[in-house]
Amino acid sequence: MRLDPDRLDELFLQLGHQAAEDVVCRALEELAARLTHVERFYRQGKMRDMRKCARSLGAIADQLGMEALARVARDVSGCSDAGDAVALAATLARLLRVGEVSLTEIWDEPAY
C-alpha cells in the first residue's frame, strides 16, 4: 500500500511528537470505524450514508498520507454516483482490503 511518510513527518513537525501521535491515533480509530460503517451502510442498502462515509474516510486517509486508501474511497463514491452496482461491490471489497492493510502499515512506520 502506498503511504506518504512526508505527510506524517509534516504533521509531527507542525504539532510536536505527542500531539501528532494523539491526532494520528484518533484518526486511525476513526478510519477503522468508518470502514465498518461503510460496509454496514452498503449491506443495509443505505447508499447515501455509505457514499458520505466513504468520502469522509477518504479525506481522513488523505490527510494522513494514506494515498491508496484515499483513492479507493473516492472510487467507491464514484461507483455509487454512477449507479454501477457490480463495480460498487467490487470496489467496496477492495476498500475494505486496502483499509485493513493501510491501517496495519501505518502502525509499522518506524518513526511513529
Side-chain angles (χ1 to χ4, degrees):
M1 295 298 107
R2 294 194 49 206
L3 176 65
D4 182 359
D6 292 339
R7 291 262 177 95
L8 289 176
D9 289 342
E10 185 178 319
L11 184 65
F12 275 74
L13 285 174
Q14 288 176 350
L15 300 177
H17 186 80
Q18 186 60 48
E21 193 172 274
D22 290 344
V23 166
V24 169
C25 286
R26 283 193 311 271
L28 292 175
E29 289 172 4
E30 191 62 31
L31 285 173
R34 288 177 194 251
L35 281 167
T36 300
H37 295 319
V38 165
E39 183 179 25
R40 186 183 74 232
F41 290 143
Y42 174 77
R43 292 190 189 288
Q44 293 173 344
K46 296 180 177 179
M47 295 302 141
R48 181 183 295 171
D49 292 334
M50 183 215 58
R51 183 183 180 283
K52 181 179 176 183
C53 194
R55 288 178 58 86
S56 63
L57 185 154
I60 295 168
D62 189 53
Q63 290 174 341
L64 293 177
M66 301 169 95
E67 297 172 354
L69 183 58
R71 184 180 61 252
V72 178
R74 286 190 299 269
D75 292 344
V76 166
S77 293
C79 291
S80 179
D81 290 344
D84 188 338
V86 174
L88 177 59
T91 307
L92 179 63
R94 183 165 185 251
L95 176 67
L96 298 173
R97 286 190 311 271
V98 169
E100 182 179 328
V101 171
S102 295
L103 289 172
T104 301
E105 183 178 301
I106 200 166
W107 284 118
D108 291 341
E109 279 296 300
Y112 312 104

